[in-house]
Amino acid sequence: MAISDYSDWYSSEREEGKAESGSLAPFTFICVVVLLTLTGLMMLYSASYAEASAAGLPHYHFVLRQGIFAILGFVGAVVVCLVPTKWIRLAAIPLVVLALACMLLTLFSPWGVTVMGARRWLDLPLLPQFQPSEVVKLAAIVFLSWWLSDRRVKNYLGWYYIVPLALILVLTCLIVVQKAYTTGVHFLIIALAICIAGRLRLRYIVAALAFLAVPAVLFLFSEPYRVRRVASFLFPALDPQGMNWQVNMSLSAIAEGGFFGKGIGNGSYKLGLLPEVQNDFILASIVEETGLVGFLFIALLFVLFAVLGFRAAGRLSGKDDFASLMATGITTMVVSQVALNIAVVTGLMPPTGIPLPFFSQGGTNLFVVIVECGILYRMIALSAKGEVRQ
């Protein structure tokens, strides 16, 4: 065998070895998503049955609704796994138009629903009530991934930079106007990750962030409740029984969980001490009942989620930039939301509404996350095979 032939054989064996070494990634990802979903439903039932019964509802009310959205999400995930990648590309503009329409309908139509002073929900005929801001995240991920990866778009250099930044600014403003300030921050984190991975010039990103800085501060202090939240976070002793009550109870619940917890279903803070525990503060109830062991188990699942997603993005970079950016955006969306929720529950940032993916009550969030997991599975499978299919 000639040296050149041996070199070619060795290179091909290395490439096959790489593909085979990553072949377990898609199956591992499915296991992670299924475990997160099932664990989330179980812990949601434990956290919510008492409140459901107190409200005169069946004890399974909240988890049944969440389970329906989970099933619909998996159906949607299967669908996006079967369609060609080019169809997802073609859906970029229609998805953005749909997201914009839903946001405008929420703000300016009788179908918009106001809950606790925030107009974030849309109740259209023949559809369950949902939050358009969750659809916006998915639409932005698909559009930005397509725009920043399409070589033909780069021929129009002016529009190449203006369009994505303008879209980010408009969607962020619409989210914030709905009094979903933290969701707006979360959306910016996702968009920023895609723009950086898409090699958008740093000076344009910095300019856009600087442009948003002043309006962001004005919006932050435009509502009295936001001012109180910031003040109570900076000076906890000012209002321990008010704005800080939820965080203080959350920390107490976590402390009482200890190493192994009180046992699933045996938590006491969900019985009224920790308001709306099945929503943004469900992690406190989980740790109270399962302890540090339960928290580490959930953290491990999310770490595996992040490793599989970002590794797929890295492997696809340069081969299929659209798939790579999609993997970056979806993984960033889930991981950053987890980090924000943990920061709120543990008092590392002001208390605000940010759900824990797969766990907090919220059908729209769960549905969108699972559908996005279907897309991310496609990207992980592509990267594991070591080839790119359109």
Side-chain angles (χ1 to χ4, degrees):
M1 182 183 289
I3 293 177
S4 60
D5 293 337
Y6 178 81
S7 176
D8 292 340
W9 171 83
Y10 179 72
S11 299
S12 65
E13 286 295 310
R14 281 189 67 187
E15 291 302 319
E16 288 180 9
K18 287 180 181 178
E20 289 175 3
S21 67
S23 60
L24 285 177
F27 175 74
T28 304
F29 182 75
I30 291 175
C31 291
V32 168
V33 172
V34 170
L35 276 173
L36 282 170
T37 304
L38 293 179
T39 307
L41 291 173
M42 179 177 65
M43 297 313 302
L44 176 63
Y45 174 73
S46 178
S48 66
Y49 72 83
E51 181 157 339
S53 300
L57 300 169
H59 58 90
Y60 53 79
H61 172 79
F62 293 110
V63 73
L64 176 63
R65 185 176 185 275
Q66 192 87 339
I68 292 172
F69 275 98
I71 292 170
L72 293 175
F74 279 110
V75 171
V78 171
V79 171
V80 297
C81 282
L82 295 176
V83 301
T85 307
K86 64 181 179 181
W87 288 17
I88 302 176
R89 283 193 179 95
L90 292 173
I93 295 178
L95 269 175
V96 167
V97 172
L98 175 64
L100 281 169
C102 289
M103 294 294 282
L104 293 173
L105 285 173
T106 303
L107 290 170
F108 304 112
S109 82
W111 294 311
V113 178
T114 302
V115 179
M116 298 178 66
R119 197 173 179 85
R120 305 173 188 171
W121 290 266
L122 190 59
D123 191 6
L124 294 174
L126 305 179
L127 289 177
Q129 187 174 300
F130 66 97
Q131 280 188 279
S133 58
E134 299 297 336
V135 180
V136 163
K137 295 175 188 176
L138 173 59
I141 290 171
V142 176
F143 181 86
L144 291 174
S145 300
W146 163 70
W147 185 270
L148 295 175
S149 64
D150 196 320
R151 291 182 177 87
R152 294 171 299 175
V153 175
K154 293 182 179 180
N155 295 327
Y156 306 97
L157 289 180
W159 290 107
Y160 178 70
Y161 296 109
I162 292 173
V163 169
L165 295 177
L167 178 70
I168 293 168
L169 294 175
V170 170
L171 292 176
T172 302
C173 289
L174 287 174
I175 292 172
V176 173
V177 168
Q178 292 183 355
K179 295 187 177 181
Y181 193 87
T182 310
T183 303
V185 173
H186 183 223
F187 175 76
L188 278 179
I189 292 172
I190 300 166
L192 182 63
I194 297 174
C195 288
I196 292 174
R199 300 178 182 86
L200 196 65
R201 290 183 182 177
L202 187 60
R203 64 173 179 266
Y204 292 103
I205 297 174
V206 172
L209 291 176
F211 181 80
L212 275 175
V214 174
V217 174
L218 291 176
F219 271 115
L220 179 62
F221 292 101
S222 63
E223 295 287 344
Y225 74 91
R226 290 196 195 117
V227 176
R228 289 196 299 271
R229 281 180 178 176
V230 174
S232 62
F233 171 72
L234 296 175
F235 307 100
L238 288 178
D239 193 18
Q241 301 299 317
M243 298 298 290
N244 283 327
W245 171 260
Q246 212 168 12
V247 174
N248 291 337
M249 290 299 100
S250 172
L251 293 173
S252 297
I254 291 171
E256 288 196 17
F259 195 79
F260 293 106
K262 298 177 177 178
I264 297 176
N266 295 328
S268 58
Y269 282 79
K270 64 188 178 186
L271 303 178
L273 288 173
L274 187 55
E276 296 291 326
V277 67
Q278 74 273 15
N279 292 325
D280 306 327
F281 282 80
I282 193 171
L283 183 62
S285 177
I286 293 171
V287 178
E288 183 193 6
E289 295 187 351
T290 63
L292 180 62
V293 172
F295 173 78
L296 290 177
F297 171 72
I298 293 170
L300 175 62
L301 291 178
F302 281 120
V303 168
L304 282 172
F305 187 102
V307 169
L308 292 169
F310 285 128
R311 187 176 66 169
R315 288 181 171 182
L316 290 169
S317 181
K319 298 178 181 178
D320 187 338
D321 288 334
F322 174 74
S324 176
L325 293 178
M326 285 283 292
T328 299
I330 293 170
T331 308
T332 300
M333 191 202 80
V334 174
V335 173
S336 60
Q337 190 168 332
V338 171
L340 288 171
N341 180 269
I342 292 175
V344 169
V345 171
T346 56
L348 296 177
M349 64 178 287
T352 185
I354 188 79
L356 181 64
F358 296 101
F359 290 85
S360 294
Q361 175 195 333
T364 310
N365 180 264
L366 182 63
F367 172 80
V368 172
V369 166
I370 293 177
V371 170
E372 288 180 328
C373 286
I375 299 174
L376 185 54
Y377 170 80
R378 289 278 303 272
M379 310 315 170
I380 292 172
L382 275 176
S383 68
K385 291 177 182 177
E387 57 187 27
V388 176
R389 293 181 179 177
Q390 301 298 322

